[in-house]
Amino acid sequence: QVPLVESGGGSVQAGGSLRLSCAASGYTDSGYCMGWFRQAPGKEREGVATITSGGRMLYPTDSVKGRFTISKDNAKFYLQMNSLKPEDTAMYYCAARPRLGWEYYCPSGANLYNYWGQGTQVTVSS
């Protein structure tokens, strides 16, 4: 088990910023994948950003490119969200799993991750 705890969600107006944090205890192995996902009501969970332990980032969702940035600092991971839009409103989750040796980037499919945080709500009003 890898406990993951998110924080930093909240309510902002369109154009505002939020920074989500994910504390990942128990990750002493250097080969891991960490991802941020979101799920809006009635929609499937989608990958927002992933990062390897070596710092390779992937942004699979076009709508967040240039606005969201994933980063890490030892066992903490972050999602900086700028220029927020109402359509960014969702529950945001961090997730983790060991990185497979052949993976250059971490995958963005939610079904590929083993460990999940409890989620943090982000609400953007117009």
Side-chain angles (χ1 to χ4, degrees):
Q1 283 288 345
V2 179
L4 301 171
V5 180
E6 302 101 335
S7 61
S11 297
V12 296
Q13 290 191 325
S17 297
L18 284 173
R19 189 192 196 206
L20 305 184
S21 299
C22 179
S25 62
Y27 251 131
T28 57
D29 185 356
S30 61
Y32 60 81
C33 280
M34 173 64 68
W36 284 100
F37 297 79
R38 66 185 182 185
Q39 188 167 20
K43 294 189 176 181
E44 292 187 356
R45 191 169 296 188
E46 65 175 353
V48 173
T50 68
I51 189 167
T52 68
S53 53
R56 287 188 292 272
M57 297 169 281
L58 181 70
Y59 298 94
T61 300
D62 287 341
S63 65
V64 309
K65 290 177 180 177
R67 300 189 298 120
F68 290 12
T69 303
I70 189 171
S71 62
K72 66 179 188 68
D73 179 11
N74 293 324
K76 271 201 164 184
F77 301 83
Y78 306 94
L79 185 68
Q80 178 67 42
M81 304 185 294
N82 298 328
S83 301
L84 282 161
K85 304 175 181 180
E87 50 264 42
D88 295 318
T89 295
M91 185 71 77
Y92 283 72
Y93 300 88
C94 66
R97 74 159 172 81
R99 184 177 66 87
L100 301 179
W102 52 267
E103 292 178 322
Y104 187 77
Y105 292 104
C106 291
S108 59
N111 61 323
L112 299 175
Y113 285 76
N114 307 97
Y115 307 111
W116 291 86
Q118 80 286 357
T120 185
Q121 178 67 37
V122 171
T123 302
V124 185
S125 58
S126 58

